[in-house]
């Protein structure tokens, strides 16, 4: 089958992996349409040079440079993209909706720019120069992006500006060279070396797969396991892909003297647009009823363009009509790098000693692709055939869409379970409150008009949950009464809506005092744990946990700022007073996504006791529960994407393969635009958003099924032969008419 050329597959779209075939197929013909309507013109002859061979084979040595270039380029692109969402949230401090929107805007731009690259390569510069110039733009973008991720370079505004400039340049680079590299590799072979050419594309796909799989696993490790500038090392995670892209450019230039370089030949996409534009304009001029109608609206281009070209565009337009619903599939598929990664960051990532990074989960898609392509090709499809089920390409695509919709339904169920450990943010006129009792005996707290119960709060009792306090304004002072040892103590504290607090009750000279502390209720990023200390000791303390210095925490129930640490077993070094020695106190396991408050007590420099409360529950749901949704969406990808390109390839004339490649990439671009709109406009809970996408794809799937039902499969070669016979018959008819006219003229002269 069409996709048997290679089992390589990357983390993103098979469309991208297989598009090289379409680009290459277009090389076999001479695309383009003359303005005078004289059909497809052969390009000018281009200089063929005899290149060096690999080890005495028919493989040009030049393809080694192209394959290495592709490996490094894919490593740089997917490696950078794997950590992009977490970079937006944790480094630029954007919320999840803005991070998702910018991620998909960038992805969309990467699939719009191939049109730009194809245009300048085919019409102006040629493939070689286009790859060189746009690779320089690409490297520049990576460098700017890497510099923008260094905390010491400028302020927050500078980081955002550099990041956006870098991403735009990267999108121009990766998209611009996308339609050129594979086709340029095909140029290096002699026409007679068909088998070698086919194997080259298998190797080419393997280089894509290797680059994407390795980078999506390695760059998250560089980000999370290497610390620089006091945190996750995004500068290194972006810097390594930048270096790989620079290597890609150097390697490609190094092979310059060995390449066969085809000159620009004219762009088929431009020619198609001109023909369509002329047909629309001509139809508008003849819109009145007294003009005779034509069978098809494209027939209005017959005054300027030959029928074979018009017939080819008609065939392509039928396929393009089926493309209209397809962006919705990509809208779901590309969220592996955004919403699904954010979901993974709020799950338990421990695999028996090995801790997976949330952005590494994307690698599963590429690994499953390697498994599913041969399984489907050699197992599922033959089995379905044995059952006498006609599993046509359009039915496969429909099934793939259904599987993707089910994958998002599964993601919604996982999200609901994940949210069980998340504290919902309070409304604008609400505050959350928990009470920490550091006194010697139980207390009873009461607030008129609130849901606070009269149950006793025991010393150092870990509160089970936050209580919601209703406010009459955006901020308000509330008056509590606290019963302690049969004495009532007043406690007035000022609350602001939308925030969470801990009310600390402790002994002082009056008997009991209260103090209000603001809490952090958002889950720590990347599955880290958050930690703070309250000093209930009789003296000041200095605290260090691992490499994190919490500084001095004063007596009188002073509180340290929150610090985030990677999940693990920790002990705290606590120095009591100015002359006290450091005491090691075990804290136990600080688990994924949990937030802890450690209360230090004691009455002398040599005695320290701790009590720990868990303010935010740890991530209890294991990341393995994401595997079913990845399995479903990857199976859907194989059925949808590979089959979609195979179908498109078989239903369009060979000279229009490049048009279909561009159109297919555009469906990916528009799919990302859909996510961008929903992420910014819907403002839904995440599980509701997943359900919405699932329902939308189910609805689109029904529409696509109806469109597919009325579609009639065609054989482009047969139609081309039919057009050729019709043209020959017309020519013969004209010759006969001319012959009859000449005979009549001859008879008249004899008369």
């Amino acid at each position: 089958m069409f996709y048997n050329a290679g089992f390589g597959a990357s983390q993103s779209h098979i469309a991208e992996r297989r598009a090289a075939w379409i680009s290459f197929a277009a090389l076999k013909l001479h695309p383009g349409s003359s303005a005078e309507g004289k059909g497809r013109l052969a390009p000018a002859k281009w200089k063929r040079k005899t290149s060096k061979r690999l080890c005495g084979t028919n493989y040009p040595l030049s393809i080694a440079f192209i394959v290495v270039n592709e490996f490094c380029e894919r490593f740089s692109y997917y490696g950078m993209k794997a950590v992009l969402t977490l970079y937006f949230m944790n480094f630029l401090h954007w919320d999840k909706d803005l991070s998702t929107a910018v991620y998909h805007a960038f992805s969309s731009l990467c699939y719009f720019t191939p049109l730009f690259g194809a245009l300048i390569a085919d019409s102006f510069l040629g493939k070689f120069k286009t790859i060189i110039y746009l690779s320089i733009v690409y490297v520049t973008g990576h460098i700017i992006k890497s510099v923008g991720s260094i905390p010491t370079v400028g302020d927050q505004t500078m980081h955002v500006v550099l990041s956006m400039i870098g991403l735009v340049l990267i999108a121009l680079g990766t998209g611009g060279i996308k339609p050129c590299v594979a086709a340029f590799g095909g140029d290096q072979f002699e026409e007679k070396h068909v088998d070698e050419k086919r194997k080259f594309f298998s190797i080419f796909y393997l280089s894509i797969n290797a680059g994407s799989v390795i980078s999506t696993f390695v760059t998250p490790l560089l980000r999370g396991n290497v610390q620089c500038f006091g945190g996750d090392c995004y500068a290194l995670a972006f810097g390594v892909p930048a270096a790989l892209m620079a290597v890609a450019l150097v390697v490609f230039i190094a092979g310059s003297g060995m390449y066969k370089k085809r000159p620009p030949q004219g762009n088929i996409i431009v020619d198609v647009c001109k023909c369509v534009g002329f047909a629309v304009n001509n139809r508008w001029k003849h819109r009145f009823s007294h003009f005779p109608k034509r069978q098809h609206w494209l027939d209005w281009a017959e005054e300027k363009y030959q029928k074979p070209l018009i017939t080819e565009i008609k065939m392509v337009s039928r396929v393009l009509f089926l493309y209209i619903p397809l962006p919705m599939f990509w809208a779901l598929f590309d969220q592996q790098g955004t919403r699904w990664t954010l979901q993974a960051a709020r799950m338990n990532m421990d695999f028996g000693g090995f801790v997976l990074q949330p952005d590494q989960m994307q690698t599963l898609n590429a690994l499953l692709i390697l498994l599913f392509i041969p399984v489907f090709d050699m197992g599922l499809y033959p089995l379905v055939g044995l059952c006498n089920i006609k599993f046509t390409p359009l039915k496969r695509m429909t099934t793939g869409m259904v599987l993707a919709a089910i994958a998002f339904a599964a993601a919604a169920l996982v999200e609901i379970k994940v949210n069980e450990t998340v504290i919902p943010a309070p409304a604008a006129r609400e505050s959350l409150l928990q009470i920490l009792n550091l006194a010697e005996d139980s207390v009873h707290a009461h607030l008129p008009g609130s849901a606070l119960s009269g149950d006793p709060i025991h010393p150092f009792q870990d509160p089970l949950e936050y209580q919601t306090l209703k406010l009459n304004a955006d901020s308000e002072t509330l008056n509590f009464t606290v019963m302690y040892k049969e004495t009532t103590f007043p406690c007035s504290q000022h609350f602001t809506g939308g925030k969470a607090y801990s009310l600390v009750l402790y002994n002082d000279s009056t008997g009991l005092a209260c103090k209000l502390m603001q809490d952090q209720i958002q889950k720590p990023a990347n599955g880290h744990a958050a930690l703070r200390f309250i000093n209930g000791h009789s003296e000041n303390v200095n605290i260090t946990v691992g490499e994190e210095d919490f500084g001095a925490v004063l007596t009188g129930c002073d509180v340290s700022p929150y610090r985030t640490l990677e999940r693990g077993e920790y002990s705290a070094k606590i120095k009591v007073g100015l002359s006290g020695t450091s005491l090691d106190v075990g804290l136990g396991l600080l688990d994924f996504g949990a937030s802890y408050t450690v209360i230090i007590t004691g009455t002398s420099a040599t005695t320290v006791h701790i009590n720990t409360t868990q303010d935010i529950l740890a991530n209890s749901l294991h990341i393995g529960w994401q595997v079913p949704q990845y399995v479903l969406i990857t199976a859907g990808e194989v059925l949808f994407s590979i089959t979609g390109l195979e179908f498109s390839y078989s239903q369009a004339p060979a000279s229009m393969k490049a048009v279909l490649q561009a159109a297919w990439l555009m469906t990916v671009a528009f799919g990302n635009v859909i996510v961008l709109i929903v992420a910014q406009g819907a403002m839904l809970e995440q599980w509701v958003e997943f359900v919405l996408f699932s329902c939308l794809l189910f609805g689109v799937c029904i529409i696509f099924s109806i469109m597919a039902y009325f579609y009639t499969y065609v054989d482009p070669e047969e139609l081309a032969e039919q057009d050729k016979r019709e043209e020959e018959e017309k020519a013969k008819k004209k010759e006969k008419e001319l012959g009859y006219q000449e005979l009549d003229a001859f008879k008249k002269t004899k008369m």
Side-chain angles (χ1 to χ4, degrees), residues 187-203:
D187 282 347
Q188 308 310 307
F189 291 86
E190 300 291 340
E191 292 298 330
K192 60 185 178 182
H193 298 147
V194 177
D195 290 338
E196 288 82 359
K197 199 178 302 185
R198 185 179 298 112
K199 291 175 183 177
F200 159 72
F201 280 99
S202 295
I203 298 170

mmCIF file with all atom_site columns, all heavy atoms in Angstrom, residues 187-203:
data_model
loop_
_atom_site.group_PDB
_atom_site.id
_atom_site.type_symbol
_atom_site.label_atom_id
_atom_site.label_alt_id
_atom_site.label_comp_id
_atom_site.label_asym_id
_atom_site.label_entity_id
_atom_site.label_seq_id
_atom_site.pdbx_PDB_ins_code
_atom_site.Cartn_x
_atom_site.Cartn_y
_atom_site.Cartn_z
_atom_site.occupancy
_atom_site.B_iso_or_equiv
_atom_site.pdbx_formal_charge
_atom_site.auth_seq_id
_atom_site.auth_comp_id
_atom_site.auth_asym_id
_atom_site.auth_atom_id
_atom_site.pdbx_PDB_model_num
ATOM 1   N N   . ASP A 1 187 ? 15.300 14.446 -6.064  1.00 0.00 ? 187 ASP A N   1
ATOM 2   C CA  . ASP A 1 187 ? 16.028 14.976 -7.226  1.00 0.00 ? 187 ASP A CA  1
ATOM 3   C C   . ASP A 1 187 ? 17.391 14.321 -7.415  1.00 0.00 ? 187 ASP A C   1
ATOM 4   O O   . ASP A 1 187 ? 17.949 14.347 -8.520  1.00 0.00 ? 187 ASP A O   1
ATOM 5   C CB  . ASP A 1 187 ? 16.248 16.484 -7.067  1.00 0.00 ? 187 ASP A CB  1
ATOM 6   C CG  . ASP A 1 187 ? 15.000 17.282 -7.377  1.00 0.00 ? 187 ASP A CG  1
ATOM 7   O OD1 . ASP A 1 187 ? 14.056 16.700 -7.949  1.00 0.00 ? 187 ASP A OD1 1
ATOM 8   O OD2 . ASP A 1 187 ? 14.964 18.484 -7.053  1.00 0.00 ? 187 ASP A OD2 1
ATOM 9   N N   . GLN A 1 188 ? 17.960 13.786 -6.348  1.00 0.00 ? 188 GLN A N   1
ATOM 10  C CA  . GLN A 1 188 ? 19.340 13.289 -6.407  1.00 0.00 ? 188 GLN A CA  1
ATOM 11  C C   . GLN A 1 188 ? 19.463 11.956 -7.147  1.00 0.00 ? 188 GLN A C   1
ATOM 12  O O   . GLN A 1 188 ? 20.564 11.552 -7.516  1.00 0.00 ? 188 GLN A O   1
ATOM 13  C CB  . GLN A 1 188 ? 19.893 13.130 -4.982  1.00 0.00 ? 188 GLN A CB  1
ATOM 14  C CG  . GLN A 1 188 ? 19.756 14.363 -4.103  1.00 0.00 ? 188 GLN A CG  1
ATOM 15  C CD  . GLN A 1 188 ? 20.268 15.619 -4.755  1.00 0.00 ? 188 GLN A CD  1
ATOM 16  O OE1 . GLN A 1 188 ? 21.406 15.672 -5.230  1.00 0.00 ? 188 GLN A OE1 1
ATOM 17  N NE2 . GLN A 1 188 ? 19.418 16.639 -4.818  1.00 0.00 ? 188 GLN A NE2 1
ATOM 18  N N   . PHE A 1 189 ? 18.345 11.268 -7.390  1.00 0.00 ? 189 PHE A N   1
ATOM 19  C CA  . PHE A 1 189 ? 18.381 9.942  -8.009  1.00 0.00 ? 189 PHE A CA  1
ATOM 20  C C   . PHE A 1 189 ? 18.141 10.030 -9.511  1.00 0.00 ? 189 PHE A C   1
ATOM 21  O O   . PHE A 1 189 ? 17.424 10.909 -9.997  1.00 0.00 ? 189 PHE A O   1
ATOM 22  C CB  . PHE A 1 189 ? 17.308 9.038  -7.385  1.00 0.00 ? 189 PHE A CB  1
ATOM 23  C CG  . PHE A 1 189 ? 17.587 8.650  -5.967  1.00 0.00 ? 189 PHE A CG  1
ATOM 24  C CD1 . PHE A 1 189 ? 17.196 9.461  -4.916  1.00 0.00 ? 189 PHE A CD1 1
ATOM 25  C CD2 . PHE A 1 189 ? 18.248 7.464  -5.672  1.00 0.00 ? 189 PHE A CD2 1
ATOM 26  C CE1 . PHE A 1 189 ? 17.442 9.116  -3.602  1.00 0.00 ? 189 PHE A CE1 1
ATOM 27  C CE2 . PHE A 1 189 ? 18.497 7.095  -4.359  1.00 0.00 ? 189 PHE A CE2 1
ATOM 28  C CZ  . PHE A 1 189 ? 18.100 7.927  -3.326  1.00 0.00 ? 189 PHE A CZ  1
ATOM 29  N N   . GLU A 1 190 ? 18.733 9.086  -10.220 1.00 0.00 ? 190 GLU A N   1
ATOM 30  C CA  . GLU A 1 190 ? 18.405 8.922  -11.635 1.00 0.00 ? 190 GLU A CA  1
ATOM 31  C C   . GLU A 1 190 ? 17.010 8.316  -11.743 1.00 0.00 ? 190 GLU A C   1
ATOM 32  O O   . GLU A 1 190 ? 16.571 7.579  -10.864 1.00 0.00 ? 190 GLU A O   1
ATOM 33  C CB  . GLU A 1 190 ? 19.425 7.993  -12.306 1.00 0.00 ? 190 GLU A CB  1
ATOM 34  C CG  . GLU A 1 190 ? 20.868 8.484  -12.248 1.00 0.00 ? 190 GLU A CG  1
ATOM 35  C CD  . GLU A 1 190 ? 21.095 9.714  -13.101 1.00 0.00 ? 190 GLU A CD  1
ATOM 36  O OE1 . GLU A 1 190 ? 20.261 9.944  -14.006 1.00 0.00 ? 190 GLU A OE1 1
ATOM 37  O OE2 . GLU A 1 190 ? 22.073 10.442 -12.858 1.00 0.00 ? 190 GLU A OE2 1
ATOM 38  N N   . GLU A 1 191 ? 16.297 8.626  -12.823 1.00 0.00 ? 191 GLU A N   1
ATOM 39  C CA  . GLU A 1 191 ? 14.936 8.131  -12.989 1.00 0.00 ? 191 GLU A CA  1
ATOM 40  C C   . GLU A 1 191 ? 14.870 6.601  -12.991 1.00 0.00 ? 191 GLU A C   1
ATOM 41  O O   . GLU A 1 191 ? 13.877 6.013  -12.591 1.00 0.00 ? 191 GLU A O   1
ATOM 42  C CB  . GLU A 1 191 ? 14.341 8.679  -14.295 1.00 0.00 ? 191 GLU A CB  1
ATOM 43  C CG  . GLU A 1 191 ? 14.094 10.178 -14.280 1.00 0.00 ? 191 GLU A CG  1
ATOM 44  C CD  . GLU A 1 191 ? 13.087 10.578 -13.226 1.00 0.00 ? 191 GLU A CD  1
ATOM 45  O OE1 . GLU A 1 191 ? 12.192 9.761  -12.911 1.00 0.00 ? 191 GLU A OE1 1
ATOM 46  O OE2 . GLU A 1 191 ? 13.188 11.690 -12.693 1.00 0.00 ? 191 GLU A OE2 1
ATOM 47  N N   . LYS A 1 192 ? 15.929 5.950  -13.438 1.00 0.00 ? 192 LYS A N   1
ATOM 48  C CA  . LYS A 1 192 ? 15.906 4.489  -13.544 1.00 0.00 ? 192 LYS A CA  1
ATOM 49  C C   . LYS A 1 192 ? 16.082 3.795  -12.192 1.00 0.00 ? 192 LYS A C   1
ATOM 50  O O   . LYS A 1 192 ? 15.786 2.612  -12.059 1.00 0.00 ? 192 LYS A O   1
ATOM 51  C CB  . LYS A 1 192 ? 17.004 4.024  -14.501 1.00 0.00 ? 192 LYS A CB  1
ATOM 52  C CG  . LYS A 1 192 ? 18.413 4.429  -14.068 1.00 0.00 ? 192 LYS A CG  1
ATOM 53  C CD  . LYS A 1 192 ? 19.441 4.034  -15.119 1.00 0.00 ? 192 LYS A CD  1
ATOM 54  C CE  . LYS A 1 192 ? 20.849 4.485  -14.709 1.00 0.00 ? 192 LYS A CE  1
ATOM 55  N NZ  . LYS A 1 192 ? 21.853 4.142  -15.736 1.00 0.00 ? 192 LYS A NZ  1
ATOM 56  N N   . HIS A 1 193 ? 16.550 4.514  -11.200 1.00 0.00 ? 193 HIS A N   1
ATOM 57  C CA  . HIS A 1 193 ? 16.806 3.905  -9.884  1.00 0.00 ? 193 HIS A CA  1
ATOM 58  C C   . HIS A 1 193 ? 15.562 4.026  -9.003  1.00 0.00 ? 193 HIS A C   1
ATOM 59  O O   . HIS A 1 193 ? 15.569 4.678  -7.955  1.00 0.00 ? 193 HIS A O   1
ATOM 60  C CB  . HIS A 1 193 ? 18.007 4.569  -9.212  1.00 0.00 ? 193 HIS A CB  1
ATOM 61  C CG  . HIS A 1 193 ? 19.281 4.399  -9.977  1.00 0.00 ? 193 HIS A CG  1
ATOM 62  N ND1 . HIS A 1 193 ? 20.279 5.355  -10.011 1.00 0.00 ? 193 HIS A ND1 1
ATOM 63  C CD2 . HIS A 1 193 ? 19.709 3.371  -10.757 1.00 0.00 ? 193 HIS A CD2 1
ATOM 64  C CE1 . HIS A 1 193 ? 21.273 4.926  -10.772 1.00 0.00 ? 193 HIS A CE1 1
ATOM 65  N NE2 . HIS A 1 193 ? 20.957 3.723  -11.235 1.00 0.00 ? 193 HIS A NE2 1
ATOM 66  N N   . VAL A 1 194 ? 14.481 3.368  -9.409  1.00 0.00 ? 194 VAL A N   1
ATOM 67  C CA  . VAL A 1 194 ? 13.196 3.477  -8.712  1.00 0.00 ? 194 VAL A CA  1
ATOM 68  C C   . VAL A 1 194 ? 13.260 2.823  -7.335  1.00 0.00 ? 194 VAL A C   1
ATOM 69  O O   . VAL A 1 194 ? 12.779 3.384  -6.341  1.00 0.00 ? 194 VAL A O   1
ATOM 70  C CB  . VAL A 1 194 ? 12.074 2.842  -9.552  1.00 0.00 ? 194 VAL A CB  1
ATOM 71  C CG1 . VAL A 1 194 ? 10.745 2.893  -8.804  1.00 0.00 ? 194 VAL A CG1 1
ATOM 72  C CG2 . VAL A 1 194 ? 11.963 3.542  -10.894 1.00 0.00 ? 194 VAL A CG2 1
ATOM 73  N N   . ASP A 1 195 ? 13.830 1.616  -7.233  1.00 0.00 ? 195 ASP A N   1
ATOM 74  C CA  . ASP A 1 195 ? 13.889 0.914  -5.950  1.00 0.00 ? 195 ASP A CA  1
ATOM 75  C C   . ASP A 1 195 ? 14.717 1.686  -4.928  1.00 0.00 ? 195 ASP A C   1
ATOM 76  O O   . ASP A 1 195 ? 14.341 1.796  -3.756  1.00 0.00 ? 195 ASP A O   1
ATOM 77  C CB  . ASP A 1 195 ? 14.472 -0.488 -6.137  1.00 0.00 ? 195 ASP A CB  1
ATOM 78  C CG  . ASP A 1 195 ? 13.516 -1.399 -6.888  1.00 0.00 ? 195 ASP A CG  1
ATOM 79  O OD1 . ASP A 1 195 ? 12.304 -1.097 -6.882  1.00 0.00 ? 195 ASP A OD1 1
ATOM 80  O OD2 . ASP A 1 195 ? 13.976 -2.397 -7.466  1.00 0.00 ? 195 ASP A OD2 1
ATOM 81  N N   . GLU A 1 196 ? 15.846 2.207  -5.380  1.00 0.00 ? 196 GLU A N   1
ATOM 82  C CA  . GLU A 1 196 ? 16.697 2.973  -4.472  1.00 0.00 ? 196 GLU A CA  1
ATOM 83  C C   . GLU A 1 196 ? 15.981 4.224  -3.973  1.00 0.00 ? 196 GLU A C   1
ATOM 84  O O   . GLU A 1 196 ? 16.081 4.610  -2.806  1.00 0.00 ? 196 GLU A O   1
ATOM 85  C CB  . GLU A 1 196 ? 18.005 3.369  -5.167  1.00 0.00 ? 196 GLU A CB  1
ATOM 86  C CG  . GLU A 1 196 ? 18.972 2.228  -5.400  1.00 0.00 ? 196 GLU A CG  1
ATOM 87  C CD  . GLU A 1 196 ? 18.623 1.421  -6.659  1.00 0.00 ? 196 GLU A CD  1
ATOM 88  O OE1 . GLU A 1 196 ? 17.611 1.760  -7.311  1.00 0.00 ? 196 GLU A OE1 1
ATOM 89  O OE2 . GLU A 1 196 ? 19.352 0.458  -6.967  1.00 0.00 ? 196 GLU A OE2 1
ATOM 90  N N   . LYS A 1 197 ? 15.228 4.826  -4.889  1.00 0.00 ? 197 LYS A N   1
ATOM 91  C CA  . LYS A 1 197 ? 14.491 6.030  -4.525  1.00 0.00 ? 197 LYS A CA  1
ATOM 92  C C   . LYS A 1 197 ? 13.432 5.718  -3.467  1.00 0.00 ? 197 LYS A C   1
ATOM 93  O O   . LYS A 1 197 ? 13.256 6.456  -2.494  1.00 0.00 ? 197 LYS A O   1
ATOM 94  C CB  . LYS A 1 197 ? 13.844 6.611  -5.787  1.00 0.00 ? 197 LYS A CB  1
ATOM 95  C CG  . LYS A 1 197 ? 13.446 8.067  -5.672  1.00 0.00 ? 197 LYS A CG  1
ATOM 96  C CD  . LYS A 1 197 ? 12.860 8.562  -6.990  1.00 0.00 ? 197 LYS A CD  1
ATOM 97  C CE  . LYS A 1 197 ? 13.828 8.402  -8.131  1.00 0.00 ? 197 LYS A CE  1
ATOM 98  N NZ  . LYS A 1 197 ? 13.302 8.982  -9.384  1.00 0.00 ? 197 LYS A NZ  1
ATOM 99  N N   . ARG A 1 198 ? 12.740 4.583  -3.646  1.00 0.00 ? 198 ARG A N   1
ATOM 100 C CA  . ARG A 1 198 ? 11.707 4.192  -2.691  1.00 0.00 ? 198 ARG A CA  1
ATOM 101 C C   . ARG A 1 198 ? 12.326 3.910  -1.321  1.00 0.00 ? 198 ARG A C   1
ATOM 102 O O   . ARG A 1 198 ? 11.798 4.304  -0.283  1.00 0.00 ? 198 ARG A O   1
ATOM 103 C CB  . ARG A 1 198 ? 10.971 2.958  -3.196  1.00 0.00 ? 198 ARG A CB  1
ATOM 104 C CG  . ARG A 1 198 ? 9.786  2.545  -2.320  1.00 0.00 ? 198 ARG A CG  1
ATOM 105 C CD  . ARG A 1 198 ? 9.087  1.327  -2.873  1.00 0.00 ? 198 ARG A CD  1
ATOM 106 N NE  . ARG A 1 198 ? 8.530  1.567  -4.200  1.00 0.00 ? 198 ARG A NE  1
ATOM 107 C CZ  . ARG A 1 198 ? 8.964  0.993  -5.321  1.00 0.00 ? 198 ARG A CZ  1
ATOM 108 N NH1 . ARG A 1 198 ? 9.963  0.133  -5.256  1.00 0.00 ? 198 ARG A NH1 1
ATOM 109 N NH2 . ARG A 1 198 ? 8.421  1.265  -6.474  1.00 0.00 ? 198 ARG A NH2 1
ATOM 110 N N   . LYS A 1 199 ? 13.477 3.236  -1.300  1.00 0.00 ? 199 LYS A N   1
ATOM 111 C CA  . LYS A 1 199 ? 14.134 2.936  -0.028  1.00 0.00 ? 199 LYS A CA  1
ATOM 112 C C   . LYS A 1 199 ? 14.658 4.207  0.633   1.00 0.00 ? 199 LYS A C   1
ATOM 113 O O   . LYS A 1 199 ? 14.714 4.299  1.862   1.00 0.00 ? 199 LYS A O   1
ATOM 114 C CB  . LYS A 1 199 ? 15.267 1.939  -0.258  1.00 0.00 ? 199 LYS A CB  1
ATOM 115 C CG  . LYS A 1 199 ? 14.770 0.546  -0.635  1.00 0.00 ? 199 LYS A CG  1
ATOM 116 C CD  . LYS A 1 199 ? 15.915 -0.393 -0.964  1.00 0.00 ? 199 LYS A CD  1
ATOM 117 C CE  . LYS A 1 199 ? 15.392 -1.762 -1.404  1.00 0.00 ? 199 LYS A CE  1
ATOM 118 N NZ  . LYS A 1 199 ? 16.478 -2.679 -1.808  1.00 0.00 ? 199 LYS A NZ  1
ATOM 119 N N   . PHE A 1 200 ? 15.045 5.179  -0.187  1.00 0.00 ? 200 PHE A N   1
ATOM 120 C CA  . PHE A 1 200 ? 15.484 6.458  0.381   1.00 0.00 ? 200 PHE A CA  1
ATOM 121 C C   . PHE A 1 200 ? 14.377 7.090  1.209   1.00 0.00 ? 200 PHE A C   1
ATOM 122 O O   . PHE A 1 200 ? 14.622 7.598  2.312   1.00 0.00 ? 200 PHE A O   1
ATOM 123 C CB  . PHE A 1 200 ? 15.908 7.429  -0.726  1.00 0.00 ? 200 PHE A CB  1
ATOM 124 C CG  . PHE A 1 200 ? 15.877 8.871  -0.296  1.00 0.00 ? 200 PHE A CG  1
ATOM 125 C CD1 . PHE A 1 200 ? 16.815 9.376  0.589   1.00 0.00 ? 200 PHE A CD1 1
ATOM 126 C CD2 . PHE A 1 200 ? 14.883 9.730  -0.768  1.00 0.00 ? 200 PHE A CD2 1
ATOM 127 C CE1 . PHE A 1 200 ? 16.768 10.702 0.991   1.00 0.00 ? 200 PHE A CE1 1
ATOM 128 C CE2 . PHE A 1 200 ? 14.833 11.049 -0.370  1.00 0.00 ? 200 PHE A CE2 1
ATOM 129 C CZ  . PHE A 1 200 ? 15.780 11.544 0.513   1.00 0.00 ? 200 PHE A CZ  1
ATOM 130 N N   . PHE A 1 201 ? 13.137 7.037  0.695   1.00 0.00 ? 201 PHE A N   1
ATOM 131 C CA  . PHE A 1 201 ? 12.042 7.646  1.441   1.00 0.00 ? 201 PHE A CA  1
ATOM 132 C C   . PHE A 1 201 ? 11.754 6.883  2.728   1.00 0.00 ? 201 PHE A C   1
ATOM 133 O O   . PHE A 1 201 ? 11.358 7.469  3.737   1.00 0.00 ? 201 PHE A O   1
ATOM 134 C CB  . PHE A 1 201 ? 10.791 7.756  0.569   1.00 0.00 ? 201 PHE A CB  1
ATOM 135 C CG  . PHE A 1 201 ? 10.845 8.927  -0.368  1.00 0.00 ? 201 PHE A CG  1
ATOM 136 C CD1 . PHE A 1 201 ? 11.207 8.766  -1.691  1.00 0.00 ? 201 PHE A CD1 1
ATOM 137 C CD2 . PHE A 1 201 ? 10.574 10.199 0.087   1.00 0.00 ? 201 PHE A CD2 1
ATOM 138 C CE1 . PHE A 1 201 ? 11.270 9.843  -2.541  1.00 0.00 ? 201 PHE A CE1 1
ATOM 139 C CE2 . PHE A 1 201 ? 10.633 11.296 -0.758  1.00 0.00 ? 201 PHE A CE2 1
ATOM 140 C CZ  . PHE A 1 201 ? 10.987 11.119 -2.082  1.00 0.00 ? 201 PHE A CZ  1
ATOM 141 N N   . SER A 1 202 ? 11.985 5.560  2.729   1.00 0.00 ? 202 SER A N   1
ATOM 142 C CA  . SER A 1 202 ? 11.854 4.804  3.979   1.00 0.00 ? 202 SER A CA  1
ATOM 143 C C   . SER A 1 202 ? 12.879 5.293  5.002   1.00 0.00 ? 202 SER A C   1
ATOM 144 O O   . SER A 1 202 ? 12.565 5.504  6.177   1.00 0.00 ? 202 SER A O   1
ATOM 145 C CB  . SER A 1 202 ? 12.062 3.311  3.714   1.00 0.00 ? 202 SER A CB  1
ATOM 146 O OG  . SER A 1 202 ? 11.050 2.796  2.899   1.00 0.00 ? 202 SER A OG  1
ATOM 147 N N   . ILE A 1 203 ? 14.116 5.473  4.541   1.00 0.00 ? 203 ILE A N   1
ATOM 148 C CA  . ILE A 1 203 ? 15.173 5.968  5.431   1.00 0.00 ? 203 ILE A CA  1
ATOM 149 C C   . ILE A 1 203 ? 14.851 7.385  5.887   1.00 0.00 ? 203 ILE A C   1
ATOM 150 O O   . ILE A 1 203 ? 15.070 7.761  7.044   1.00 0.00 ? 203 ILE A O   1
ATOM 151 C CB  . ILE A 1 203 ? 16.533 5.915  4.713   1.00 0.00 ? 203 ILE A CB  1
ATOM 152 C CG1 . ILE A 1 203 ? 16.891 4.465  4.359   1.00 0.00 ? 203 ILE A CG1 1
ATOM 153 C CG2 . ILE A 1 203 ? 17.623 6.536  5.572   1.00 0.00 ? 203 ILE A CG2 1
ATOM 154 C CD1 . ILE A 1 203 ? 18.090 4.342  3.434   1.00 0.00 ? 203 ILE A CD1 1
#
